[in-house]
Amino acid sequence: MNDVTYKGHTLSAIALSEHNLYSATVFVRAPSGDQRCSTLMGRFPSAILALGYAFKYGMAVIDCRPAPAYE
């Protein structure tokens, strides 16, 4: 699992592969300990792109912004 800290929250992302494509999910843990999990997101050509999207998604959740578009 990969972790990033953003505005005091911990984001943990996992990329999963299936048929040479990658999806990701992100867990967002608030400073209070409350935790949320996204659904499985995307179909990306690499794990790096899937994880990058998952972290962008988690940051958008923290900032109360719309989810980023798949790139």
Side-chain angles (χ1 to χ4, degrees), residues 2-25:
N2 299 282
D3 294 341
V4 168
T5 301
Y6 179 72
K7 295 185 177 180
H9 295 69
T10 302
L11 291 86
S12 302
I14 301 171
L16 306 167
S17 66
E18 183 178 359
H19 304 295
N20 297 321
L21 291 174
Y22 295 83
S23 297
T25 190

Side-chain angles (χ1 to χ4, degrees), residues 22-25 38-45 49-50 52-54 56-57 66-71:
Y22 295 83
S23 297
T25 190
S38 72
T39 60
L40 203 55
M41 303 176 288
R43 304 288 286 175
F44 299 91
L49 290 174
Y53 179 82
K56 288 179 191 175
Y57 180 92
Y70 289 168
E71 298 175 359

Side-chain angles (χ1 to χ4, degrees), residues 1 11 23-26 28 30 36 42-43 47 50-51 54-55 61-62 70-71:
M1 193 173 304
L11 291 86
S23 297
T25 190
V26 65
V28 179
R36 295 181 269 181
R43 304 288 286 175
L51 291 171
F55 287 125
V61 167
I62 292 166
Y70 289 168
E71 298 175 359

